[in-house]
Amino acid sequence: MATDLVPERYVQEYLGNGPSLVTFLALNASAFLVGVSFYVHSEPSLADLPTFLYPLFGDSPAALALATLSFATLLPNVGRPVREAPVNRPLAYLHTLAFVWLVKYGLWTAVALNLRPELYVGFSAAALWDYWGIMFTHLGFVVEAFLIPHYGKTTRGALAFSLVALLANDVFDYGFGYYPPLRYEPGLVLPALTVALSVGAVALAARVFDRLEPA
């Protein structure tokens, strides 16, 4: 099922055109590096973890990395209709993972900030960024996610794998204390909402993606 959140003509204009697609990929890659820098300087930091656990700890950078890889698959399709980009089973997994990670962690950031807004809202330049800047840049993840169903497809296996991966990430975050750095203890409410976002993101993916036809 196609989504109308982002009109098809805009998707074609920006993702089907070489210069705009490359610019879009560069912006995503830059945002990924900013996210990595945040987790390098956080407490705990990436330096405290084995390399293979980085994607589970750096939630937003992981979302941007998956999204950048997903959009990069359009490079060979430049100049042709975005909706006609080739999709196979491995790409269906990639596109589904990118979508659910973007949706979940775009919304998670807004939820986390607004559970204790008094700890973030202020009128200094830093405080304006810490609340409004971070919230709206992460909500942009959700808009970006809705570009993907215009060219990607999913499968039952991809949806199931994505749900397991998101829930494993939740266990890692809250079971082992590696949730994204906050100015308050998450308690029980934030973990419960995070699990709900995991389930909701996959349910949304099942609704908005067309299914890949069996080979």
Side-chain angles (χ1 to χ4, degrees):
M1 179 186 299
T3 174
D4 295 325
L5 181 63
V6 183
E8 182 96 21
R9 65 183 184 277
Y10 295 130
V11 176
Q12 181 61 42
E13 181 178 352
Y14 291 106
L15 298 186
N17 177 275
S20 58
L21 176 58
V22 170
T23 300
F24 186 61
L25 290 171
L27 290 173
N28 270 273
S30 299
F32 164 76
L33 293 176
V34 170
V36 169
S37 176
F38 173 81
Y39 281 94
V40 165
H41 297 96
S42 67
E43 181 59 44
S45 75
L46 291 175
D48 300 318
L49 295 170
T51 304
F52 71 91
L53 291 177
Y54 286 1
L56 294 178
F57 180 52
D59 298 318
S60 294
L64 288 167
L66 288 166
T68 303
L69 289 173
S70 175
F71 294 124
T73 66
L74 291 173
L75 287 169
N77 195 65
V78 165
R80 294 189 289 271
V82 169
R83 189 164 290 283
E84 296 177 9
V87 182
N88 54 31
R89 194 164 297 276
L91 287 179
Y93 275 71
L94 171 61
H95 299 324
T96 307
L97 284 169
F99 179 89
V100 299
W101 240 262
L102 285 170
V103 169
K104 177 183 176 180
Y105 287 106
L107 295 176
W108 181 91
T109 303
V111 168
L113 292 177
N114 284 289
L115 284 178
R116 296 292 303 276
E118 71 278 6
L119 298 177
Y120 294 93
V121 175
F123 296 100
S124 66
L128 289 172
W129 169 254
D130 288 345
Y131 181 75
W132 296 107
I134 289 177
M135 182 168 64
F136 281 112
T137 53
H138 281 75
L139 286 175
F141 286 16
V142 180
V143 177
E144 190 166 303
F146 275 86
L147 300 174
I148 299 173
H150 283 275
Y151 62 86
K153 294 183 180 180
T154 194
T155 66
R156 291 178 63 183
L159 292 167
F161 180 81
S162 296
L163 180 59
V164 170
L166 287 177
L167 293 176
N169 203 156
D170 296 340
V171 171
F172 177 78
D173 282 354
Y174 300 104
F176 297 95
Y178 288 106
Y179 51 85
L182 297 166
R183 295 178 182 177
Y184 61 90
E185 292 298 319
L188 296 176
V189 174
L190 185 58
L193 291 173
T194 303
V195 171
L197 286 173
S198 294
V199 175
V202 175
L204 184 61
R207 179 173 177 79
V208 301
F209 275 97
D210 291 331
R211 297 300 176 95
L212 180 66
E213 296 294 332

